[in-house]
Amino acid sequence: MPESVFDSLVAFSIPDRDARGRCVRMGPVLDTILSAHDYPPPIRHLLAEALVLTALMGSLLKGEGGQLTMQAQSASGLIDLLVCDYRDGAVRGYVKYDAERLVAHGSNTSLCDLFGEGAHLAMTFDLAEKKQRYQGIVPLDGSDLAQACESYFRQSEQVPTILRVAVRFDGTHCFAGGLLIQHLPQGEEGRERLHVKMDHPDWEHIAVMGGSVRHFELVDPSLTIEQILWRLFHEENEIRIEPMPALMRGCRCTAEHYIDVLSRFPPEERIEMRADDGLVHVDCAFCSKVFRIEV
């Protein structure tokens, strides 16, 4: 199958309906990220879904250097930490989980099983050009992460949003796709959108059309993103499509970075960090690399 079908992201808008969206396909880059750890199927599926959502939402940020970080922590669930981020087409993610409890629980796990009761999803938006940061937190409930992210946009941004994600594993490779659609009747800039109505007729129409996408379509290698969008919205007067940078694994760990971080600690603390070989061992959770730093 052609790799160009995957690891791609497209921005689109439907001007007559005041709607915008993103559609993403992930393949080889997903395999690369997931291969850093031997994730069991439920964790692999969850992380793949989180990476798709992070790419969809992170790509809404304008300007270079903007970053979206999605994070969920749990005190009672099978997962201790889920974290993903997106910046300028680069994505990365990691899950820390209790392997023994997961095996004892079995493969039939719900979102509530994975995170426990009372867990929350935090999304942090770093706007590099404006040097601003803001965060939204929503309960981690519903049947999947996509529903929690929809709740974020509805509650925190006051923007009607639908999100659809599909993940498929063929025994060797993981494929995933996702669709995000939003209604912005007053434009993307300007005043708060508290006046936006969830039952606006244009939004109801777009939500029905976009929501009709099938999971198998989002991961079907015989369909391009443009073909998926045409299937959904071919009756509209105009669909504007804008290709975005190809997706890549975004782990930013380097020896130079860790040397800089360690240099900020007092000398006596750096000495205490040394292993038996006299070096400080730094383990990157995102890519499983271990850096041995001389301090």
Side-chain angles (χ1 to χ4, degrees):
M1 89 186 41
E3 291 191 4
S4 59
V5 174
F6 292 95
D7 299 338
S8 57
L9 181 65
V10 167
F12 66 94
S13 62
I14 305 173
D16 289 351
R17 303 287 186 178
D18 296 315
R20 72 167 180 184
R22 299 289 187 271
C23 193
V24 66
R25 280 278 185 74
M26 300 182 73
V29 72
L30 195 57
D31 281 339
T32 301
I33 295 171
L34 295 176
S35 67
H37 300 275
D38 186 19
Y39 292 118
I43 305 299
R44 182 177 60 223
H45 188 282
L46 178 77
L47 182 53
E49 181 184 10
L51 289 164
V52 169
L53 290 167
T54 302
L56 289 171
M57 297 184 296
S59 63
L60 296 173
L61 295 174
K62 294 184 176 181
E64 294 185 2
Q67 178 173 309
L68 165 67
T69 302
M70 176 193 293
Q71 184 171 326
Q73 290 180 281
S74 169
S76 61
L78 303 174
I79 289 178
D80 299 314
L81 172 68
L82 163 70
V83 59
C84 299
D85 65 42
Y86 171 96
R87 185 173 72 182
D88 297 332
V91 290
R92 63 178 181 172
Y94 167 70
V95 179
K96 181 182 178 182
Y97 62 98
D98 189 322
E100 292 184 0
R101 288 182 60 200
L102 183 64
V103 170
H105 189 278
S107 59
N108 187 20
T109 54
S110 65
L111 197 66
C112 183
D113 294 329
L114 292 173
F115 288 99
E117 298 288 345
H120 287 74
L121 183 69
M123 281 176 280
T124 305
F125 295 83
D126 287 290
L127 310 179
E129 293 187 350
K130 295 182 179 180
K131 296 182 178 179
Q132 296 177 347
R133 171 184 288 188
Y134 65 96
Q135 185 180 74
I137 300 176
V138 294
L140 195 53
D141 50 23
S143 62
D144 53 31
L145 287 177
Q147 288 190 6
C149 293
E150 285 183 355
S151 296
Y152 163 77
F153 282 108
R154 183 172 59 252
Q155 297 173 17
S156 299
E157 300 278 350
Q158 300 295 324
V159 178
T161 303
I162 63 170
L163 283 157
R164 297 291 184 269
V165 177
V167 177
R168 179 170 65 88
F169 183 68
D170 67 2
T172 303
H173 301 288
C174 190
F175 310 103
L179 178 70
L180 175 151
I181 311 173
Q182 296 184 320
H183 189 226
L184 299 169
Q186 301 298 325
E188 297 189 29
E189 304 291 345
R191 61 186 179 180
E192 296 181 3
R193 303 190 185 92
L194 298 178
H195 61 287
V196 172
K197 295 182 178 180
M198 298 294 177
D199 59 352
H200 191 290
D202 281 338
W203 171 242
E204 289 183 336
H205 174 80
I206 289 298
V208 169
M209 296 296 101
S212 69
V213 67
R214 303 293 183 88
H215 279 203
F216 75 84
E217 293 176 305
L218 291 173
V219 292
D220 184 350
S222 69
L223 291 176
T224 66
I225 288 178
E226 290 78 8
Q227 288 172 326
I228 292 174
L229 296 176
W230 175 251
R231 284 187 173 191
L232 297 174
F233 305 116
H234 65 274
E235 295 182 356
E236 302 303 319
N237 292 329
E238 181 183 14
I239 307 173
R240 297 177 184 174
I241 293 178
E242 177 185 357
M244 303 189 74
L247 296 174
M248 58 184 175
R249 188 184 71 168
C251 195
R252 298 182 287 276
C253 61
T254 63
E256 292 75 16
H257 170 70
Y258 292 127
I259 290 172
D260 177 63
V261 172
L262 290 169
S263 69
R264 304 171 195 173
F265 289 86
E268 59 273 15
E269 291 188 22
R270 295 202 300 269
I271 291 175
E272 292 179 359
M273 296 177 188
R274 292 175 180 172
D276 293 340
D277 59 4
L279 303 177
V280 176
H281 296 186
V282 182
D283 182 3
C284 176
F286 287 102
C287 65
S288 289
K289 290 182 181 178
V290 177
F291 294 82
R292 293 171 173 81
I293 310 297
E294 183 176 358
V295 297

